[in-house]
Amino acid sequence: MKKIGFLSFGHWSPEPGSQVRSASDVLLQSIDLAVAAEGLGLDGAYFRVHHYARQLASPFPLLAAVGARTSSIEIGTGVIDMRYENPLYMVEDAGAADLISGGRLQLGLSRGSPEQVIDGWKYFGYGPAEGESPADMARRHAEVFLHMLKGEGFAEPNPQPMFPNPPGLLRLEPQSPGLRDRIWWGAGSDATAVWAAKLGMNLQSSTLKDDETGEPFHVQQARQLRAYKAAWKEAGHKRAPRTSVSRSIFAITNDMDRRYFGRGGKERDQFGFIETQRSVFGRGYADEPDRLIEQLARDEAIAEADTLLLTVPNMLGVDYNAHVIESILTHVAPALGWR
């Protein structure tokens, strides 16, 4: 059995043919898609976070709204770029959204990917400390966030407060019990996956990672997941970890599917450089269900993960994306033992 969710990058564009023409459209349709996905029996609704782009950005209002409209589906991010975040304020936002949802948040954090703006985090008021890289700053913000989620008092109370205080040092509010165990790290390398395991975070691995061996993407990603699990065991954490991978998977079942994806998926891995790092971008899948099942059965990383996030073409509208999800749940997942 495997948990299956969707991952939306939340694109919007006023271009002809787009079903998502404004920021309002993408936010409202994201909520509607989560409701539809829950009705289909999907396990998770996850959203990507980008800045300076016609995509979803500030995640917590959306997560709270989805939480208020749904009752069982997991609600998450994949991922929040911690270079841009105030970790203390984020504890308050995350706590509030998690309480609204009844404890269903699954927050994916990371260093983030190259953005639309050079050093965009500096306009948000953040910058690396002396000797730090932007990636170091992201990890530092994440560690502060994780520490504050424990709910321990740290702030000296005012001796003449406006309202009575509980005894001792004060903590951030609202706190949501259990949220600390539902934090994920989006790792692009084996080393960051091991770092995440040591800190007790779950692991998200996308369709992009550092090319560390030259092997096919799914083989390298499966090795990354195994290294993470070994590090988790060595760290001695009491609970079981969770791991997810994301894939573009489209089952071609009707003429509309053939029109959009009939030429097949991105059937080969792509190798290249992102900034100065040699990277590998994993293939996509689009085919008739029987052939799709055969191809996916050979993906070692999907087999290694307990959670699969399906990247959806959100600009094609809620109804079509619900069809894409239902096709996977109906025609593909049972044959592979995911359902």
Side-chain angles (χ1 to χ4, degrees):
M1 300 294 289
K2 196 179 298 291
K3 287 185 178 291
I4 305 175
F6 74 77
L7 173 62
S8 172
F9 278 55
H11 294 282
W12 61 272
S13 171
E15 298 299 321
S18 170
Q19 302 296 311
V20 189
R21 304 182 64 82
S22 68
S24 175
D25 286 345
V26 74
L27 289 163
L28 295 174
Q29 289 190 29
S30 294
I31 298 168
D32 290 342
L33 182 58
V35 172
E38 181 176 75
L40 293 170
L42 204 69
D43 301 300
Y46 288 74
F47 304 95
R48 187 68 166 90
V49 179
H50 276 289
H51 301 288
Y52 307 104
R54 290 177 173 177
Q55 292 177 247
L56 294 169
S58 55
F60 292 107
L62 174 60
L63 297 175
V66 172
R69 287 279 307 278
T70 58
S71 59
S72 61
I73 196 169
E74 293 182 342
I75 309 161
T77 51
V79 291
I80 299 173
D81 188 334
M82 293 302 291
R83 296 175 295 181
Y84 289 79
E85 294 296 324
N86 178 324
L88 274 68
Y89 191 62
M90 187 173 165
V91 167
E92 296 178 344
D93 275 352
D98 195 44
L99 290 169
I100 289 170
S101 74
R104 289 183 282 129
L105 255 59
Q106 302 284 341
L107 289 182
L109 322 176
S110 189
R111 178 197 70 88
S113 59
E115 295 286 300
Q116 304 297 104
V117 172
I118 296 171
D119 296 341
W121 32 262
K122 69 183 180 183
Y123 300 105
F124 280 54
Y126 306 116
E130 185 174 353
E132 272 190 334
S133 69
D136 293 333
M137 174 178 65
R139 287 188 284 269
R140 172 167 53 85
H141 285 182
E143 290 181 9
V144 173
F145 176 67
L146 292 174
H147 179 72
M148 292 299 172
L149 281 177
K150 294 179 181 179
E152 298 171 353
F154 67 95
E156 189 72 29
N158 187 342
Q160 296 179 317
M162 182 176 296
F163 305 105
N165 283 322
L169 299 176
L170 301 183
R171 66 181 189 178
L172 295 170
E173 300 288 359
Q175 284 283 326
S176 185
L179 179 57
R180 173 61 178 82
D181 290 341
R182 289 178 273 114
I183 306 301
W184 304 60
W185 185 260
S189 68
D190 291 1
T192 51
V194 168
W195 171 82
K198 291 178 179 177
L199 268 65
M201 287 186 281
N202 301 311
L203 179 67
Q204 289 182 341
S205 191
S206 70
T207 53
L208 175 69
K209 75 175 296 293
D210 294 354
D211 176 25
E212 301 184 69
T213 65
E215 295 172 292
F217 170 78
H218 73 101
V219 174
Q220 293 196 51
Q221 189 176 51
R223 181 179 288 109
Q224 180 194 46
L225 269 59
R226 288 191 288 268
Y228 165 83
K229 292 175 183 178
W232 183 280
K233 183 177 180 180
E234 183 178 348
H237 301 303
K238 295 180 180 179
R239 66 178 179 86
R242 288 185 61 183
T243 56
S244 74
V245 297
S246 58
R247 293 289 187 274
S248 295
I249 304 173
F250 300 99
I252 298 175
T253 63
N254 61 29
D255 289 340
M256 184 174 291
D257 297 332
R258 292 185 184 90
R259 204 157 50 240
Y260 285 134
F261 303 108
R263 296 181 180 179
K266 183 167 61 61
E267 296 175 352
R268 295 183 179 179
D269 297 340
Q270 296 180 354
F271 293 82
F273 284 86
I274 296 180
E275 295 176 338
T276 60
Q277 174 62 51
R278 180 172 170 80
S279 303
V280 54
F281 193 85
R283 59 162 295 181
Y285 297 89
D287 214 327
E288 306 288 336
D290 289 348
R291 289 194 290 270
L292 199 56
I293 291 164
E294 293 176 1
Q295 296 163 25
L296 291 168
R298 296 191 291 268
D299 192 309
E300 293 183 19
I302 293 179
E304 190 72 35
D306 58 72
T307 301
L308 173 64
L309 301 183
L310 305 170
T311 59
V312 292
N314 76 282
M315 288 178 61
L316 297 181
V318 173
D319 289 344
Y320 184 73
N321 278 278
H323 159 72
V324 166
I325 292 167
E326 186 174 26
S327 294
I328 298 298
L329 294 178
T330 302
H331 301 293
V332 177
L336 288 165
W338 301 346
R339 279 291 186 273

